[in-house]
Amino acid sequence: MAIGERLSTNLAAQRGFSIEKPLGLGYSPKMGAYTYEVRSSRDVFERSPKGGGTQIIFDGDDGALVALRLPTSERAGNTIESWLYASHMTRVFGMPFRILVCGMGFVIAMLSATGVYIWWKKRRARILRSQPMQSHPARDVLTLQGAHQTDQPR
């Protein structure tokens, strides 16, 4: 833990970011290295199940720095991924953004429901239009009268 704190303090001074609080320390026997994760000024959001924190990886034997993983400002891919994940999980811009995303969900649900309603109405109209006209006595009488009138010579 002491090595992770020392390395994080030194790296923060060198790279121009600040350490807000330590989050955890883990050991990987496969790599033979420790991962010290901290919340820093380069993080987009609070720690999540996916991670998202600044990671300092150092050798388990001699404490030498192996890698520094910053979620933003070091690699474009990491920065984009951090922002996409944070916005997808509504972990940025506070409560107004969460309310906006919730409202957009309701709008999408409403559009889906009205789309199904319009489809149903058009489907019903197509079915009625494609059915043969059924016999109605009043219409048949008018048709017969009209046929007699046109058949007579003038």
Short mmCIF file of all heavy atoms in Angstrom, two decimals, residues 94-124:
data_model
loop_
_atom_site.label_atom_id
_atom_site.label_comp_id
_atom_site.label_asym_id
_atom_site.label_seq_id
_atom_site.Cartn_x
_atom_site.Cartn_y
_atom_site.Cartn_z
N GLY A 94 -24.81 15.22 -13.49
CA GLY A 94 -25.73 15.27 -12.37
C GLY A 94 -27.18 14.91 -12.66
O GLY A 94 -27.51 14.27 -13.66
N MET A 95 -28.05 15.36 -11.77
CA MET A 95 -29.48 15.02 -11.83
C MET A 95 -30.18 15.56 -13.07
O MET A 95 -31.04 14.86 -13.63
CB MET A 95 -30.17 15.51 -10.56
CG MET A 95 -31.59 14.99 -10.42
SD MET A 95 -31.76 13.18 -10.50
CE MET A 95 -31.08 12.72 -8.93
N PRO A 96 -29.88 16.77 -13.58
CA PRO A 96 -30.56 17.23 -14.79
C PRO A 96 -30.36 16.27 -15.97
O PRO A 96 -31.30 16.01 -16.73
CB PRO A 96 -29.91 18.59 -15.08
CG PRO A 96 -29.44 19.06 -13.76
CD PRO A 96 -29.02 17.83 -13.01
N PHE A 97 -29.17 15.70 -16.12
CA PHE A 97 -28.90 14.75 -17.20
C PHE A 97 -29.70 13.46 -16.99
O PHE A 97 -30.24 12.91 -17.94
CB PHE A 97 -27.40 14.45 -17.30
CG PHE A 97 -27.03 13.57 -18.46
CD1 PHE A 97 -27.15 14.03 -19.76
CD2 PHE A 97 -26.56 12.28 -18.25
CE1 PHE A 97 -26.81 13.21 -20.84
CE2 PHE A 97 -26.22 11.47 -19.32
CZ PHE A 97 -26.34 11.93 -20.61
N ARG A 98 -29.79 13.00 -15.76
CA ARG A 98 -30.56 11.79 -15.47
C ARG A 98 -32.04 12.00 -15.80
O ARG A 98 -32.70 11.12 -16.34
CB ARG A 98 -30.40 11.39 -14.01
CG ARG A 98 -29.04 10.84 -13.71
CD ARG A 98 -28.90 10.43 -12.28
NE ARG A 98 -27.54 9.96 -12.06
CZ ARG A 98 -27.05 9.67 -10.90
NH1 ARG A 98 -27.79 9.78 -9.83
NH2 ARG A 98 -25.81 9.24 -10.79
N ILE A 99 -32.57 13.17 -15.45
CA ILE A 99 -33.97 13.48 -15.75
C ILE A 99 -34.18 13.54 -17.27
O ILE A 99 -35.18 13.03 -17.78
CB ILE A 99 -34.40 14.79 -15.05
CG1 ILE A 99 -34.42 14.56 -13.53
CG2 ILE A 99 -35.75 15.27 -15.56
CD1 ILE A 99 -34.57 15.83 -12.72
N LEU A 100 -33.24 14.16 -17.99
CA LEU A 100 -33.33 14.23 -19.45
C LEU A 100 -33.34 12.83 -20.06
O LEU A 100 -34.17 12.54 -20.93
CB LEU A 100 -32.15 15.04 -20.02
CG LEU A 100 -32.05 15.06 -21.54
CD1 LEU A 100 -33.17 15.91 -22.13
CD2 LEU A 100 -30.70 15.58 -21.97
N VAL A 101 -32.45 11.96 -19.62
CA VAL A 101 -32.39 10.59 -20.16
C VAL A 101 -33.67 9.84 -19.84
O VAL A 101 -34.21 9.12 -20.68
CB VAL A 101 -31.15 9.86 -19.61
CG1 VAL A 101 -31.19 8.38 -19.94
CG2 VAL A 101 -29.88 10.47 -20.17
N CYS A 102 -34.21 10.02 -18.64
CA CYS A 102 -35.47 9.38 -18.26
C CYS A 102 -36.60 9.88 -19.16
O CYS A 102 -37.41 9.09 -19.65
CB CYS A 102 -35.77 9.67 -16.79
SG CYS A 102 -37.28 8.90 -16.20
N GLY A 103 -36.67 11.19 -19.37
CA GLY A 103 -37.69 11.76 -20.24
C GLY A 103 -37.58 11.24 -21.66
O GLY A 103 -38.59 10.94 -22.31
N MET A 104 -36.36 11.10 -22.16
CA MET A 104 -36.16 10.57 -23.51
C MET A 104 -36.63 9.11 -23.59
O MET A 104 -37.17 8.69 -24.61
CB MET A 104 -34.68 10.66 -23.92
CG MET A 104 -34.20 12.09 -24.11
SD MET A 104 -35.13 12.99 -25.36
CE MET A 104 -34.64 12.13 -26.82
N GLY A 105 -36.47 8.37 -22.52
CA GLY A 105 -36.98 7.00 -22.48
C GLY A 105 -38.49 6.97 -22.62
O GLY A 105 -39.05 6.14 -23.35
N PHE A 106 -39.17 7.89 -21.93
CA PHE A 106 -40.63 7.97 -22.04
C PHE A 106 -41.06 8.37 -23.45
O PHE A 106 -42.03 7.85 -23.99
CB PHE A 106 -41.21 8.94 -21.01
CG PHE A 106 -41.25 8.40 -19.62
CD1 PHE A 106 -40.65 9.10 -18.59
CD2 PHE A 106 -41.87 7.19 -19.33
CE1 PHE A 106 -40.67 8.61 -17.29
CE2 PHE A 106 -41.91 6.69 -18.05
CZ PHE A 106 -41.30 7.39 -17.02
N VAL A 107 -40.32 9.30 -24.06
CA VAL A 107 -40.64 9.73 -25.43
C VAL A 107 -40.51 8.56 -26.40
O VAL A 107 -41.37 8.35 -27.26
CB VAL A 107 -39.74 10.92 -25.86
CG1 VAL A 107 -39.83 11.19 -27.35
CG2 VAL A 107 -40.10 12.17 -25.06
N ILE A 108 -39.44 7.78 -26.27
CA ILE A 108 -39.23 6.64 -27.15
C ILE A 108 -40.34 5.61 -26.96
O ILE A 108 -40.86 5.05 -27.93
CB ILE A 108 -37.84 6.03 -26.92
CG1 ILE A 108 -36.77 6.99 -27.45
CG2 ILE A 108 -37.71 4.66 -27.58
CD1 ILE A 108 -35.36 6.64 -27.06
N ALA A 109 -40.74 5.36 -25.73
CA ALA A 109 -41.83 4.42 -25.46
C ALA A 109 -43.13 4.92 -26.08
O ALA A 109 -43.89 4.14 -26.67
CB ALA A 109 -41.99 4.21 -23.96
N MET A 110 -43.40 6.22 -25.96
CA MET A 110 -44.61 6.80 -26.53
C MET A 110 -44.60 6.70 -28.06
O MET A 110 -45.61 6.34 -28.67
CB MET A 110 -44.75 8.27 -26.11
CG MET A 110 -46.01 8.93 -26.61
SD MET A 110 -46.05 10.69 -26.29
CE MET A 110 -44.74 11.26 -27.34
N LEU A 111 -43.46 6.99 -28.68
CA LEU A 111 -43.36 6.88 -30.14
C LEU A 111 -43.57 5.43 -30.59
O LEU A 111 -44.21 5.19 -31.62
CB LEU A 111 -42.01 7.39 -30.63
CG LEU A 111 -41.81 8.90 -30.57
CD1 LEU A 111 -40.37 9.26 -30.89
CD2 LEU A 111 -42.76 9.60 -31.52
N SER A 112 -43.05 4.50 -29.83
CA SER A 112 -43.26 3.09 -30.18
C SER A 112 -44.74 2.73 -30.10
O SER A 112 -45.27 2.06 -30.99
CB SER A 112 -42.45 2.20 -29.24
OG SER A 112 -41.09 2.45 -29.36
N ALA A 113 -45.40 3.15 -29.05
CA ALA A 113 -46.83 2.83 -28.88
C ALA A 113 -47.67 3.48 -29.98
O ALA A 113 -48.55 2.84 -30.55
CB ALA A 113 -47.30 3.29 -27.51
N THR A 114 -47.40 4.73 -30.32
CA THR A 114 -48.18 5.38 -31.38
C THR A 114 -47.88 4.76 -32.73
O THR A 114 -48.76 4.65 -33.58
CB THR A 114 -47.93 6.90 -31.43
OG1 THR A 114 -46.53 7.14 -31.61
CG2 THR A 114 -48.42 7.59 -30.17
N GLY A 115 -46.65 4.31 -32.95
CA GLY A 115 -46.31 3.62 -34.19
C GLY A 115 -47.08 2.33 -34.35
O GLY A 115 -47.60 2.02 -35.43
N VAL A 116 -47.20 1.57 -33.27
CA VAL A 116 -47.98 0.33 -33.32
C VAL A 116 -49.45 0.66 -33.56
O VAL A 116 -50.13 -0.02 -34.35
CB VAL A 116 -47.80 -0.48 -32.02
CG1 VAL A 116 -48.81 -1.61 -31.91
CG2 VAL A 116 -46.38 -1.02 -31.92
N TYR A 117 -49.98 1.70 -32.94
CA TYR A 117 -51.38 2.10 -33.13
C TYR A 117 -51.64 2.48 -34.59
O TYR A 117 -52.63 2.04 -35.19
CB TYR A 117 -51.73 3.26 -32.19
CG TYR A 117 -53.13 3.79 -32.39
CD1 TYR A 117 -54.23 3.07 -31.94
CD2 TYR A 117 -53.34 5.00 -33.04
CE1 TYR A 117 -55.51 3.55 -32.13
CE2 TYR A 117 -54.62 5.49 -33.24
CZ TYR A 117 -55.70 4.76 -32.78
OH TYR A 117 -56.97 5.23 -32.98
N ILE A 118 -50.77 3.27 -35.18
CA ILE A 118 -50.94 3.69 -36.58
C ILE A 118 -50.86 2.47 -37.50
O ILE A 118 -51.65 2.33 -38.43
CB ILE A 118 -49.90 4.76 -36.96
CG1 ILE A 118 -50.22 6.07 -36.23
CG2 ILE A 118 -49.84 4.97 -38.47
CD1 ILE A 118 -49.13 7.11 -36.32
N TRP A 119 -49.90 1.58 -37.25
CA TRP A 119 -49.79 0.36 -38.04
C TRP A 119 -51.08 -0.45 -37.95
O TRP A 119 -51.57 -0.95 -38.96
CB TRP A 119 -48.60 -0.46 -37.55
CG TRP A 119 -48.58 -1.85 -38.13
CD1 TRP A 119 -48.12 -2.23 -39.35
CD2 TRP A 119 -49.07 -3.04 -37.48
NE1 TRP A 119 -48.29 -3.58 -39.51
CE2 TRP A 119 -48.87 -4.11 -38.39
CE3 TRP A 119 -49.64 -3.29 -36.25
CZ2 TRP A 119 -49.24 -5.41 -38.07
CZ3 TRP A 119 -50.00 -4.59 -35.94
CH2 TRP A 119 -49.80 -5.63 -36.84
N TRP A 120 -51.62 -0.59 -36.75
CA TRP A 120 -52.85 -1.37 -36.56
C TRP A 120 -54.02 -0.78 -37.34
O TRP A 120 -54.77 -1.50 -37.98
CB TRP A 120 -53.17 -1.42 -35.06
CG TRP A 120 -54.38 -2.26 -34.76
CD1 TRP A 120 -55.65 -1.82 -34.53
CD2 TRP A 120 -54.44 -3.68 -34.68
NE1 TRP A 120 -56.50 -2.87 -34.31
CE2 TRP A 120 -55.77 -4.04 -34.39
CE3 TRP A 120 -53.50 -4.68 -34.82
CZ2 TRP A 120 -56.18 -5.34 -34.24
CZ3 TRP A 120 -53.90 -5.99 -34.67
CH2 TRP A 120 -55.24 -6.30 -34.39
N LYS A 121 -54.15 0.55 -37.29
CA LYS A 121 -55.24 1.20 -38.02
C LYS A 121 -55.08 1.01 -39.53
O LYS A 121 -56.06 0.73 -40.23
CB LYS A 121 -55.29 2.70 -37.70
CG LYS A 121 -55.61 3.03 -36.24
CD LYS A 121 -57.02 2.72 -35.91
CE LYS A 121 -57.89 3.88 -36.31
NZ LYS A 121 -59.28 3.73 -35.94
N LYS A 122 -53.89 1.17 -40.06
CA LYS A 122 -53.65 0.99 -41.49
C LYS A 122 -53.86 -0.46 -41.90
O LYS A 122 -54.40 -0.74 -42.97
CB LYS A 122 -52.24 1.45 -41.87
CG LYS A 122 -52.09 2.94 -41.88
CD LYS A 122 -50.70 3.32 -42.36
CE LYS A 122 -50.58 4.80 -42.52
NZ LYS A 122 -49.30 5.18 -43.12
N ARG A 123 -53.45 -1.38 -41.07
CA ARG A 123 -53.64 -2.80 -41.35
C ARG A 123 -55.13 -3.13 -41.44
O ARG A 123 -55.57 -3.84 -42.35
CB ARG A 123 -52.98 -3.64 -40.25
CG ARG A 123 -53.15 -5.12 -40.42
CD ARG A 123 -52.44 -5.85 -39.26
NE ARG A 123 -52.61 -7.27 -39.37
CZ ARG A 123 -53.60 -7.97 -38.83
NH1 ARG A 123 -54.52 -7.35 -38.12
NH2 ARG A 123 -53.68 -9.27 -38.97
N ARG A 124 -55.87 -2.59 -40.50
CA ARG A 124 -57.32 -2.82 -40.49
C ARG A 124 -57.97 -2.26 -41.76
O ARG A 124 -58.81 -2.90 -42.37
CB ARG A 124 -57.91 -2.17 -39.24
CG ARG A 124 -59.25 -2.70 -38.89
CD ARG A 124 -59.61 -2.29 -37.48
NE ARG A 124 -61.01 -1.95 -37.50
CZ ARG A 124 -61.56 -0.97 -36.84
NH1 ARG A 124 -60.83 -0.20 -36.08
NH2 ARG A 124 -62.85 -0.76 -36.91
#
